[in-house]
Amino acid sequence: MAGLYIHIPFCKQACSYCDFYFVTRKSLIEPFTDSLIDEIQSYANTPLSDEVIETIYIGGGTPSQLSSKQLKRIFDAVDNVFQLNTTEVTMEMNPDDVTPGYLHSLLDLGVNRASMGVQSFDEEILQFMHRAHTKKEALQALENLHKAGFPTYTADLIYGNPGQTPEMLERDIDQLLQFDPPHISAYSLTVEPQTRLGKQVQLGRIKPPEDESVAEHFDLLLEKLSSAGIYQYEVSNFSKPGKEAVHNSNYWNHKNYLGLGPAAHSFWWTEDGAKRWENQPDIKHYLDRASSISDEPEELSLQTLAEERLMLGLRTKWGVGSGELINRYGYQFNESQKNWLDYQERNGMLTITDDVVRLTPNGLKLADLLIVDLLSKG
Ligand code: SF4
């Protein structure tokens, strides 16, 4: 079973913090759809189209910039080329794009999980982020999702914004919880150097919040969501039991996935490891279709894969089993790592049950530091 990721690189405007690959020229959407369909068809009768597709994730950019007609052409092409037995078909969308009619057409196409880019309901924060939607549109979009009867959905929130007080964040969380969401992805604002926000920070015009205040935001989020029955299952992901994202969980679990569209990544197992490749983040090149659109694949050894699996798996509530590490990657913890694991278990940062290492809630707060520490002893 494999996953399919489709990158739709169009956005209405550039959010100040965003470093994803996107363009704002709407006139390119139709030619892009043609190129994407060509790329999909290029996989017909290849080994990559032999494996059954379990999940599809349409991300971006803003996939809801495409009309339902354009999306239907893409879905038809996927259906013609790949063997589909999908349990989860997710599409990212922005609140200002979704009318009730549009949502119904997505359901008709087979999208069964919406990912709504809410980020905040606070007008000042939305403006600071340079989001294209208002608080009213965010509330309306969530209302529309409920009315349309989406089987499940997730909403994104960003905390740790400059000037955001815990009370402001609490209002954001409460407004989202009114809708009883099955899943929430919550990220602390990250300052990427090449973004508008990054430049403003470099110029000293904006001061990012202190780590302590971001940690306070996170504690508040964790407490409010768990009281509402929405539990952390990955560093940035929270869900009601059984509503965890399958597609993303498969990334963390090293299942095969094929990425389509500019800047999309792919991962595929080979006989002696795996390979990963990226489609070039270049819409002009993608539209030209003149030569190969992807870079040379990177060969990944079992050692690299084992370390990556530890990095991804320890960020989740499922953790990583030492049996899995041995069977799948031939990787065993050495004495120094075993001692470190015992020490961190006594320290309350992780548990080891039936040979599965899992970070505790306290450990998850320091996941990246702990994982680097463990790997550095390998
Ligand atoms: S809508 Fe999403 S992808 Fe587009 S600029 Fe904003 S954050 Fe980035």
Side-chain angles (χ1 to χ4, degrees), residues 172-211:
D172 269 355
I173 301 169
D174 285 341
Q175 290 182 90
L176 186 50
L177 288 179
Q178 278 176 47
F179 294 92
D180 194 23
H183 188 288
I184 294 174
S185 296
Y187 305 95
S188 67
L189 184 75
T190 312
V191 181
E192 302 291 351
Q194 293 315 318
T195 60
R196 197 162 102 174
L197 174 64
K199 296 200 174 103
Q200 285 168 319
V201 169
Q202 274 159 30
L203 291 170
R205 292 191 189 137
I206 288 180
K207 197 168 170 290
E210 303 289 332
D211 288 353

Side-chain angles (χ1 to χ4, degrees), residues 78 109 165 236 289 291 322:
V78 165
L109 289 173
T165 61
S236 309
R289 288 172 264 173
S291 55
S322 28

Side-chain angles (χ1 to χ4, degrees), residues 11 13-15 17-18 20 22 60-62 94 131:
C11 291
Q13 61 193 49
C15 300
Y17 55 87
C18 179
F20 292 142
F22 65 90
T62 312
N94 275 345
R131 295 289 301 178

Side-chain angles (χ1 to χ4, degrees), residues 261-279:
H265 290 249
S266 303
F267 173 91
W268 214 265
W269 281 91
T270 57
E271 270 172 18
D272 44 5
K275 57 183 178 177
R276 175 174 288 128
W277 65 98
E278 183 192 6
N279 282 359

Side-chain angles (χ1 to χ4, degrees), residues 1-7 39 43 46-59 82-84 88 246-261 263-270 273-279 294 297-298 300 305 308-309 312 328-329:
M1 293 287 229
L4 211 57
Y5 172 78
I6 303 179
H7 191 81
E39 190 191 3
Y43 285 102
T46 66
L48 293 176
S49 61
D50 274 352
E51 200 160 318
V52 174
I53 300 293
E54 180 192 15
T55 57
I56 300 178
Y57 191 102
I58 308 177
F82 295 97
Q83 302 183 52
L84 304 182
E88 187 189 89
V246 183
H247 185 86
N248 286 348
S249 303
N250 287 348
Y251 284 153
W252 307 325
N253 203 18
H254 270 161
K255 282 208 180 176
N256 284 343
Y257 59 87
L258 178 63
L260 303 161
H265 290 249
S266 303
F267 173 91
W268 214 265
W269 281 91
T270 57
K275 57 183 178 177
R276 175 174 288 128
W277 65 98
E278 183 192 6
N279 282 359
S294 63
E298 180 193 0
L300 304 165
L305 287 166
E308 194 179 89
R309 172 76 186 111
L312 299 169
R328 223 173 161 198
Y329 309 97

